[in-house]
């Protein structure tokens, strides 16, 4: 019973377990009536049609009582009295952009159709998932728009995307096509939450009040970007992690996007997300379609934690794919911060030897193994092994790694070409460029033109050649610069504004081909750290390198912001060296490990320089993480507290019997009392508390310090009192076990 259309066919109620979304049809216009906590009687809810002064343009001469500028619209088109940002803007044969899309039909189906060529969430047999397709037609141009709404009933999620079909005899240009647009009628009591940043400072949470103006969050860089994540939330001013109403939109797309929050002078809020119309245009030939990417929408009245749970569950179960979706992720050692470009076979073997003693599970050979790549100035595109560094080739090093009982993983940056490379000499036109302009370099490299099929095929073939002939079980797929001079040699002048979207479609084709063919490989996406941490990439690769910043203190804010939409299992988190290579901060091994332990833990340091004591510590950490990682990676994450002084996360095991509290502190201060934090979310029962010393805890005996049993109600309301802070940046892990 997920979608109900009333008898008059003018009202549709989409239900999930805890939310409702209501549409209404008025004089052919598709209106937005409601989105929020679940309603039992949606019929009582009608969109008020205003009595307008005749000064306001009104689109219907027979009924001058309303203006589209006032109505809450679900698919606002352009030019007929609505002055807000439209969701669709076409350029028609006669040069105009004015359309009048009216509702023509509804169709319901079980399950969820794919979005052709694009990543999207999916339904499996038995899921309570249904789809509503609303057909709208602009009679004058013969353009049809199909709005897809899929409801994931048990996940409290609605997904939306749009298909635009050209049923005319001439080409039509799409200038703007948002995937979702929602109008909150007469309501602007919101704050907007977005996640901005830069390289090594990804996903810093910003919260701003929504004023009577237009707020735009976007990327124009050709990637979803470090700068703004395609996750934009609207929440009530009183909403916190723990309580209150919040609306989320997150785009399943890895390129240029735009989110708009616009409050008009009638106090209504328009909330949109989709492809960025900046430097964009798409030509649809007669009979052809254009599909927008999917937006994942969720509402929760249980604060940001409630919202995150909806995203986490959905992404883990119905966005990520492949055999690793439901599998515990291996502990890897990556050689990047250990060696950078400066390694040879012996150095790698030495690292592998220690990793093997420490019972790590995957060795990942990072940048520098191919062509003549001894610095970031050369060889991207030349995907053959550098025999000076690895005389026995990838075969030698991968066999050695396997003989030490570690799987072998390899780094690629397939979307790029170095100016100094054989590939560039041979195919100088294969990069994005525009004649008459010099080519801006980023990290001494250019971006390959993935809108071209020959370039896509080259990438597929070069990777295929390596993957099929070596026992590779893990691939780190990197992308280290943004687009400039966006243009393609093969496209006509009239199609040049399609390049950045065609690039992403080309990338998705490559990823689909490679990840399907090599389904036994665990893929991790990376983009100078977390420059493309988005649901589009997660569809192909179920984990992402969260940030190049591995400092255990900075990482907490990065992981905190990332956790708003993305589950902890998707966040690569590595223990690295102290002093930290990015910020020079010294932090002890215990805290560095605890920072990584709340997510998908791995290592990125020179194991060969560790003392025997440090090796002993690592051994214990690894044994302990393996023991708890099912709980950590598949459990429910709660953000308990976050400010400058301290942050606490709690992870609830799937069976709700164990709760792991990760408690991180900033600078120490003298002369302060111990601090208490309520835990809020323990399920009913009595709990035994264990302070975990990760350095000493071994397989089967966790030290029991205190046998007192505390009731959940006490811990949830009064809280737990943490030890005194020992020094700057210390950390604690506590396990609350239900008896
Ligand atoms: C990017 C990645 C790093 C590393 C380097 C290699 O910066 O984020 O993890 O792989 O490239 O050049």
């Amino acid at each position: 019973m997920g979608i109900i259309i009333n008898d008059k066919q003018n009202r549709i109620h989409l239900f999930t377990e805890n939310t409702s979304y209501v549409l209404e049809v008025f004089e052919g216009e598709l209106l937005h009536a409601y989105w929020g906590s679940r309603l039992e009687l949606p019929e009582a809810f009608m969109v008020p049609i205003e009595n307008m002064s005749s000064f306001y343009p009104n689109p219907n001469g027979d009924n001058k009582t309303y203006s589209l500028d006032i109505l809450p619209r679900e698919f606002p088109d352009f030019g007929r009295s609505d002055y807000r940002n439209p969701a669709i803007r076409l350029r028609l044969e006669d040069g105009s952009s004015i359309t009048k899309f009216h509702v023509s039909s509804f169709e319901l189906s079980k399950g969820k159709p794919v979005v052709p060529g694009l990543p999207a969430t999916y339904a499996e047999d038995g899921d309570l998932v249904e789809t509503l397709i609303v057909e709208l037609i602009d009679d004058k141009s013969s353009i049809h728009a199909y709005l897809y709404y899929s409801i994931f009933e048990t996940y409290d999620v609605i997904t939306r995307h749009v298909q635009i079909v050209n049923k005319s005899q001439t080409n039509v240009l799409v200038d703007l096509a948002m995937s979702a647009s929602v109008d909150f009628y007469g309501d602007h009591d919101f704050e907007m939450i977005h996640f901005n940043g830069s390289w090594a400072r990804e996903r810093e949470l910003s919260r701003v009040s929504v004023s009577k103006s237009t707020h735009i969050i976007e990327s124009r860089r050709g990637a979803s970007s470090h700068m703004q994540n395609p996750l934009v939330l609207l929440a009530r001013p009183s909403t916190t992690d723990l309580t209150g109403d919040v609306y989320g939109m997150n785009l399943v797309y890895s390129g240029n996007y735009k989110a708009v929050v616009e409050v008009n002078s009638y106090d209504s809020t328009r909330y949109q997300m989709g492809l960025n119309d900046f430097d964009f245009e798409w030509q649809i030939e007669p009979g052809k379609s254009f599909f927008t990417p999917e937006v994942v929408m969720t509402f929760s009245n249980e604060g940001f934690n409630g919202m995150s749970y909806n995203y986490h569950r959905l992404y883990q179960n119905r966005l990520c794919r492949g055999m690793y979706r439901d599998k515990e992720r291996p502990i890897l050692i990556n050689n990047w911060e250990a060696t950078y470009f400066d390694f040879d076979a012996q150095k790698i073997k030495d690292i592998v030897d220690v990793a093997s003693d420490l019972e790590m599970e995957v060795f990942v050979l990072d940048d520098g193994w191919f062509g003549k790549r001894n610095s970031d100035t050369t060889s991207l595109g030349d995907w053959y092994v550098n025999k000076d560094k690895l005389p026995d080739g990838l075969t030698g090093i991968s066999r050695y790694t396997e003989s030490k009982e570690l799987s072998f993983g390899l780094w690629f940056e397939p979307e790029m070409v170095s100016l100094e490379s054989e590939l560039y000499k041979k195919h100088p036109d294969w990069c994005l460029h525009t004649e008459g302009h010099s080519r801006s370099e980023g990290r001494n490299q250019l971006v390959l033109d993935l809108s071209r099929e020959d370039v896509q095929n080259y990438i597929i073939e070069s990777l295929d050649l390596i993957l099929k002939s070596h026992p590779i079980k893990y691939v780190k797929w990197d992308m280290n610069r943004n687009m400039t001079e966006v243009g393609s040699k093969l496209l006509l002048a009239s199609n040049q504004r399609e390049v950045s979207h065609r690039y992403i479609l080309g990338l998705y084709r490559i990823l689909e081909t490679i990840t399907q063919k090599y389904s036994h490989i665990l893929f991790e996406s990376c983009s100078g750290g977390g420059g493309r941490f988005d649901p589009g990439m997660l569809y192909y690769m179920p984990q992402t390198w969260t940030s190049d910043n591995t400092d255990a203190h900075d990482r907490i804010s990065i992981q905190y912001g990332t956790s708003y939409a993305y589950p902890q299992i998707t966040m690569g988190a590595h223990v690295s060296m102290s002093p930290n290579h990015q910020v020079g901060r010294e932090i002890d091994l215990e805290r560095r490990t605890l920072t990584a332990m709340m997510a998908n833990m791995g290592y990125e340091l020179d194991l060969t320089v560790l003392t025997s004591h440090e090796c002993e510590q690592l051994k214990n950490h690894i044994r302990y993480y393996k023991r708890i990682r099912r709980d950590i990676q598949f459990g429910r994450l709660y953000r308990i507290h976050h400010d400058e002084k301290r942050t606490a996360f709690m992870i609830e095991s799937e069976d709700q019997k164990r709760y792991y509290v990760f408690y991180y502190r900033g600078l120490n201060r003298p002369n302060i009392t111990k601090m208490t934090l309520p835990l809020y979310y323990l399920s009913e029962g009595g709990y035994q508390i264990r302070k975990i010393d990760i350095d000493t805890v071994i397989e089967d005996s966790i030290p029991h310090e205190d046998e007192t049993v505390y009731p959940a109600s006490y811990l949830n309301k009064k809280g737990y009192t943490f030890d005194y802070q020992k020094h700057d940046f210390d950390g604690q892990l506590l396990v609350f076990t239900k008896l």
Side-chain angles (χ1 to χ4, degrees), residues 65-81:
T65 58
Y66 71 92
S67 165
L68 293 181
D69 215 17
I70 305 279
L71 292 185
R73 305 175 72 202
E74 193 68 8
F75 187 60
D77 56 4
F78 176 77
R80 298 178 297 117
S81 81

Side-chain angles (χ1 to χ4, degrees), residues 383-538:
W383 299 110
Y384 57 84
V385 75
N386 178 340
K387 290 260 179 160
D388 292 339
K389 284 183 180 171
L390 301 170
D392 299 329
L394 289 174
T395 306
I397 204 68
S398 55
R399 289 225 176 107
Y400 184 82
T401 305
E402 292 218 314
S403 75
K404 293 284 175 173
E405 288 176 7
L406 276 93
S407 304
F408 183 71
L410 199 57
W411 179 96
F412 291 94
E413 195 178 352
E415 300 162 59
M416 298 289 152
V417 61
S418 300
L419 281 98
E420 209 179 292
S421 66
E422 290 165 26
L423 182 67
Y424 191 61
K425 269 191 213 112
K426 223 159 129 193
H427 296 292
D429 291 338
W430 274 18
C431 60
L432 294 178
H433 66 282
T434 306
E435 290 307 331
H437 287 286
S438 56
R439 301 170 181 194
S440 303
E441 295 168 35
R443 214 188 181 208
N444 310 299
Q445 64 202 49
L446 300 172
V447 183
L448 284 173
D449 179 1
L450 268 60
S451 73
R452 295 173 60 141
E453 217 173 302
D454 50 357
V455 175
Q456 296 165 22
N457 291 341
Y458 171 78
I459 294 175
I460 292 171
E461 282 155 22
S462 4
L463 262 73
D464 191 38
L465 199 65
I466 294 171
L467 297 179
K468 76 173 177 220
S469 37
H470 302 96
I472 293 170
K473 303 273 171 47
Y474 184 101
V475 163
K476 177 176 172 189
W477 184 293
D478 209 342
M479 191 286 282
N480 278 319
R481 63 154 289 184
N482 291 147
M483 296 178 186
T484 50
E485 294 87 33
V486 181
S488 174
K489 170 106 178 170
L490 291 195
L491 292 175
L492 298 173
S494 54
N495 297 100
Q496 289 295 329
R497 282 173 159 240
E498 298 178 359
V499 174
S500 49
H501 184 52
R502 282 179 181 268
Y503 178 101
I504 298 293
L505 295 177
L507 170 65
Y508 289 154
R509 178 183 159 240
I510 297 169
L511 289 174
E512 182 68 13
T513 311
I514 294 284
T515 57
Q516 291 306 304
K517 177 157 184 197
Y518 294 98
S519 58
H520 66 284
I521 292 181
L522 174 56
F523 286 84
E524 175 175 80
S525 79
C526 173
S527 173
R532 236 173 20 187
F533 206 134
D534 61 62
M537 296 314 277
L538 287 176

